Amino acid sequence: MQTHVRLEPWSAGDFWLLERKNEPAMTRFLGGPEPVAKLVDRQRRYEALSAREPAAGRMFRVVWTPAGEGADGGGRTESVGSVGFWEREWQGEPVYESGWGILPEFQGHGLAVAALTELLAYVRAHGTRDSVHAFPGTDHPASNAVCRRAGFTYLGDVDFEYPPGVPHPSCDWRYRVGRPQGGLTPSG
């Protein structure tokens, strides 16, 4: 499977993707499915983020063109998930936080790594903060592998609140924008 992806800004027509990402298989490591009212609020926040200046953050729909069906073949494309970044404070430092989700039928083919790599290029071009962090659960080996493969540095285990108010054992991964990467990997 070809792993080149394109990122398209989140739009009003992408609510269906939030619904798909709210299925039990997609929310297993995130506390489970959310009520529809929370999805509607999330859609509103994603659209508002896309209306702000690029350095404030963005949510994107991840679009993949299957091999052999590229632009020169007039090919089909698939919306396979989402990826984004937003501003936050972490341990007294202004940073970006990143998050992503690839639909189950497209997982295991490098699309999350490709999407996160494209996102980091966007942050290098438009961001104003030095670091991008990701906080996958310690119980989520696939997302931790995405961080490692995308060039993030493992900083250690932390209790990270997600959903808000619910501490969850997580790995703190950091990507220094524009600097060489490397580091430890979590055990297990």
Side-chain angles (χ1 to χ4, degrees):
M1 177 180 284
Q2 176 188 1
T3 56
H4 177 74
V5 297
R6 174 175 85 247
L7 304 184
E8 295 188 357
W10 198 267
S11 69
D14 294 328
F15 186 74
W16 70 271
L17 192 52
L18 277 182
E19 292 176 310
R20 285 290 320 275
K21 288 183 52 189
N22 196 45
E23 294 170 359
M26 291 291 295
T27 59
R28 176 176 156 212
F29 297 100
L30 300 172
E34 296 179 310
V36 172
K38 284 199 174 202
L39 294 182
V40 170
D41 182 58
R42 186 180 304 276
Q43 175 72 20
R44 180 195 56 74
R45 287 185 287 122
Y46 285 5
E47 288 181 47
L49 187 59
S50 289
R52 295 182 62 198
E53 69 279 1
R58 283 285 181 277
M59 282 306 296
F60 295 99
R61 180 167 41 92
V62 179
V63 179
W64 167 67
T65 302
E69 299 188 35
D72 43 1
R76 83 184 156 92
T77 60
E78 298 274 356
S79 293
V80 299
S82 66
V83 66
F85 73 104
W86 49 92
E87 298 171 316
R88 72 163 299 129
E89 293 283 324
W90 179 246
Q91 299 178 337
E93 178 186 355
V95 302
Y96 292 118
E97 181 181 342
S98 60
W100 59 90
I102 300 296
L103 298 175
E105 61 269 29
F106 299 104
Q107 292 175 4
H109 301 287
L111 297 173
V113 174
L116 191 52
T117 300
E118 289 293 319
L119 180 79
L120 294 171
Y122 183 92
V123 172
R124 274 193 300 282
H126 300 285
T128 57
R129 297 178 178 215
D130 186 52
S131 297
V132 179
H133 284 254
F135 300 96
T138 57
D139 59 346
H140 198 327
S143 283
N144 284 290
V146 167
C147 291
R148 187 172 37 259
R149 291 182 58 210
F152 281 66
T153 300
Y154 172 68
L155 300 180
D157 292 355
V158 295
D159 274 336
F160 188 78
E161 288 189 10
Y162 193 87
V166 179
H168 184 75
S170 300
C171 296
D172 182 5
W173 291 90
R174 178 183 65 206
Y175 184 93
R176 291 252 188 225
V177 180
R179 294 197 172 96
Q181 304 300 302
L184 304 173
T185 59
S187 59

